[in-house]
Amino acid sequence: MAQEIKPSEEQLAYANLLDWGMKLGLIAIVITFLIYVFGILPPYIPVEELPRYWKLNVHQYLEATEIQSGWTWLKLISKGDFLNFLPIAFLAALTILCYIRILPIYFKKKDTLYGFLCLLQILILLLAASGLLKVGAH
């Protein structure tokens, strides 16, 4: 008879947080989209002006709209079209939150190697998300 394989404590903790975070993020995306669609908050770029920007590449678009790249979208969070970025950023950060959640479990179990690798992963993801690294043509 085959032995039943059960998920570990850290696997369950990661999966549970990811499940709740994904559901929360999805609800937030729907809410912020409705806020945008119904004009509850005014957009930075009026909807009727959008077609004029569709033909532009990203660099031309940013220049034409006077928007800066990176985390500067946070300054425009009160605009309906930029409010949508908030749940997307939350979903992007969810992996980091999941790793933070399981980090103490590894150290509690004295699983130092996985704890160190988990901590290293958290630091790398935070550094990548910070925008401090400028790589490529951006």
Side-chain angles (χ1 to χ4, degrees), residues 31-120:
I31 291 170
T32 58
F33 179 71
L34 292 173
I35 289 170
Y36 171 65
V37 166
F38 290 112
I40 296 170
L41 289 176
Y44 180 76
I45 299 172
V47 176
E48 57 274 2
E49 289 183 25
L50 285 177
R52 121 177 195 215
Y53 299 111
W54 289 344
K55 66 182 180 292
L56 304 177
N57 67 38
V58 69
H59 300 290
Q60 293 167 335
Y61 170 78
L62 292 174
E63 188 176 303
T65 57
E66 299 178 1
I67 299 172
Q68 296 175 351
S69 62
W71 286 95
T72 55
W73 62 269
L74 284 170
K75 296 175 186 175
L76 300 169
I77 203 74
S78 64
K79 302 295 183 184
D81 45 355
F82 279 88
L83 184 62
N84 293 308
F85 286 30
L86 203 55
I88 294 169
F90 169 75
L91 287 171
L94 195 51
T95 298
I96 299 170
L97 298 175
C98 289
Y99 277 126
I100 291 170
R101 168 67 182 94
I102 65 172
L103 183 63
I105 297 172
Y106 283 130
F107 286 120
K108 180 182 80 175
K109 288 182 167 184
K110 299 193 183 338
D111 200 344
T112 315
L113 177 60
Y114 279 115
F116 173 74
L117 291 173
C118 185
L119 179 61
L120 190 59

